């Protein structure tokens, strides 16, 4: 009788095990933990043109569901051709703080490879993305990046075998980046380095606007049609007073835009026309000398 009871219990357990099915991620709703789990955890990261040239396994590429749910549809805007169908891979993740997480994503298409830092908050909400590595077969310039244990982000541009420029950034809580330091040996007529010069400029107002040597307002395409990237550098009184600022502005009308800095309270207003741009500021003393201001009219340069 006892052996019959054991046999009955064993048969019941076997039937129970067979009835339990593992639910595939294809058959359930994805969570941010699923997305985050694809990325190896690291204390520091380095990714450059040589890293991009290494072929990634197709089996590790993101499925379309992940791209649609967790990455912005503008991720590769201006990088790959409209007819291309790039693939994307998770490379690594670094926790910069309790509230800010960095995820490195690589993309590859026939025209080349690229990598982006994507920032998310502690709840998994996407904040911003930044292009940090680029490789174009046959191209003269190569871009790579690193982030160390202290959270310092370095974007390095190489020309040939030499390092032409190193930009050091700190990540802000909203996922934007603040330029801390630039080391450059690039030849320049004015000695001025424009950090957004090579970014896409398809919008009708995306251009360089100048007002004499050493004075520039550079506008480039934003992630959406409602945004624009900018870099401003000016000098007054033969270099006695200098100002410099870069960031993301928003169009407030078809011909005006504004930048608001959450950290300092600085506000810059932009007024666009087909041939000029006029800027004015409110409380931007943190980014300039005390005897000058972000103001004036700058003339559009031809490409």
């Amino acid at each position: 009788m006892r052996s019959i009871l054991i046999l009955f219990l064993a048969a019941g357990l076997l039937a129970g095990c067979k009835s339990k099915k593992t639910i595939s991620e294809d058959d359930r709703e994805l969570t941010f933990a699923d997305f985050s789990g694809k990325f190896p955890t690291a204390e520091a990261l380095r990714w450059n043109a040589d890293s991009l040239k290494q072929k990634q396994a197709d089996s590790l590429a993101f499925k379309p569901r992940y791209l649609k749910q967790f990455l912005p549809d503008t991720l590769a805007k201006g990088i790959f051709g409209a007819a291309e169908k790039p693939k994307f891979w998770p490379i690594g993740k670094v926790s910069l703080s309790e509230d800010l997480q960095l995820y490195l994503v690589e993309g590859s298409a026939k025209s080349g490879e690229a990598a982006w830092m994507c920032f998310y908050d502690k709840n998994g909400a996407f904040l911003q993305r930044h292009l940090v590595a680029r490789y174009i077969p046959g191209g003269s310039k190569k871009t790579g990046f690193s982030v160390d244990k202290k959270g310092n982000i370095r974007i390095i541009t190489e020309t040939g075998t030499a390092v032409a420029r190193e930009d050091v950034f700190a990540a802000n809580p909203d996922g934007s980046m603040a330029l801390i330091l630039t080391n450059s040996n690039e030849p320049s007529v004015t000695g001025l380095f424009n950090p957004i010069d090579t970014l896409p400029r398809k919008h009708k107002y995306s251009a360089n606007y100048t007002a004499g040597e050493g004075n520039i307002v550079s506008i480039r395409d934003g992630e959406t049609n409602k945004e624009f990237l900018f870099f401003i550098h000016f000098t007054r009184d033969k270099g006695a007073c200098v100002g410099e600022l870069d960031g993301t502005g928003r169009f407030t009308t078809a011909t005006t835009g504004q930048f608001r800095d959450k950290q300092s309270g600085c506000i810059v207003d932009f007024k666009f026309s087909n041939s000029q741009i006029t800027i004015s500021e409110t409380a931007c003393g943190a980014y300039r000398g005390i005897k000058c201001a972000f103001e004036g009219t700058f003339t559009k340069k031809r490409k």
Side-chain angles (χ1 to χ4, degrees):
M1 183 68 180
R2 184 178 178 183
S3 60
I4 293 174
L5 179 61
I6 292 173
L7 212 66
F8 178 77
L9 290 172
L13 287 171
L14 185 61
C17 290
K18 286 184 177 181
S19 64
K20 291 182 179 179
K21 295 181 180 180
T22 301
I23 301 176
S24 168
E25 67 178 30
D26 295 327
D27 300 320
R28 61 175 174 80
E29 184 177 349
L30 295 175
T31 66
F32 186 75
D34 294 319
F35 173 75
S36 182
K38 299 286 185 183
F39 293 79
T41 301
E43 290 185 344
L45 274 174
R46 177 182 292 273
W47 213 249
N48 55 26
D50 290 332
S51 307
L52 291 173
K53 286 189 285 185
Q54 298 175 10
K55 183 175 176 57
Q56 301 291 333
D58 288 343
S59 60
L60 298 178
F62 278 123
K63 295 179 180 179
R65 292 179 67 205
Y66 280 90
L67 299 177
K68 185 176 181 180
Q69 186 170 340
F70 300 109
L71 292 169
D73 55 9
T74 57
L75 179 66
K77 181 182 178 182
I79 303 301
F80 301 127
E84 292 187 288
K85 296 181 179 180
K87 291 184 178 180
F88 299 90
W89 288 267
I91 299 302
K93 61 185 177 184
V94 176
S95 178
L96 299 181
S97 69
E98 184 179 342
D99 299 322
L100 188 63
Q101 312 298 316
L102 183 160
Y103 290 77
L104 185 66
V105 176
E106 179 179 324
S108 178
K110 188 176 181 180
S111 61
E113 286 75 36
W116 298 264
M117 288 188 306
C118 297
F119 290 109
Y120 295 80
D121 68 15
K122 63 181 179 181
N123 298 316
F126 173 78
L127 298 173
Q128 294 196 43
R129 64 97 169 92
H130 304 275
L131 179 69
V132 293
R134 188 80 169 103
Y135 171 69
I136 301 175
S140 59
K141 281 192 175 183
K142 302 174 183 178
T143 307
F145 108 111
S146 68
V147 55
D148 60 28
K149 293 181 180 180
K150 295 181 179 180
N152 296 311
I153 298 167
R154 288 175 168 81
I155 298 179
I156 301 169
T157 301
E158 300 177 10
T159 303
T161 58
V163 174
R165 186 175 75 241
E166 179 189 61
D167 300 316
V168 184
F169 297 87
N172 294 319
D174 64 354
S176 63
M177 295 201 302
L179 181 64
I180 300 173
L181 175 68
T182 294
N183 296 313
S184 175
N185 60 12
E186 290 181 307
S188 174
V189 176
T190 64
L192 176 64
F193 164 62
N194 178 356
I196 66 172
D197 189 47
T198 60
L199 298 183
R201 48 193 297 180
K202 296 179 180 179
H203 192 280
K204 65 178 181 179
Y205 294 136
S206 291
N208 291 334
Y209 302 79
T210 60
E213 186 175 345
N215 299 285
I216 184 172
V217 176
S218 185
I219 304 294
R220 295 294 183 268
D221 300 350
E223 288 192 7
T224 70
N225 290 331
K226 296 180 180 180
E227 297 178 339
F228 60 91
L229 305 179
F230 72 89
F231 167 72
I232 303 172
H233 179 94
F234 70 85
T235 179
R236 300 286 188 270
D237 298 331
K238 298 181 179 181
C241 193
V242 177
E244 187 170 291
L245 177 64
D246 66 289
T248 301
R250 292 185 63 85
F251 286 105
T252 51
T253 70
T255 58
T256 61
Q258 189 177 81
F259 165 74
R260 287 178 174 267
D261 183 23
K262 295 179 181 179
Q263 277 69 46
S264 68
C266 167
I267 299 173
V268 179
D269 289 296
F270 299 80
K271 186 176 181 180
F272 301 91
S273 73
N274 291 331
S275 60
Q276 295 180 327
I277 187 171
T278 299
I279 62 171
S280 59
E281 66 142 270
T282 302
C284 294
Y287 302 103
R288 56 166 173 75
I290 61 173
K291 294 183 178 181
C292 51
F294 291 93
E295 60 185 13
T297 298
F298 297 72
T299 303
K300 188 175 185 178
K301 287 186 65 179
R302 292 183 178 182
K303 290 185 179 180

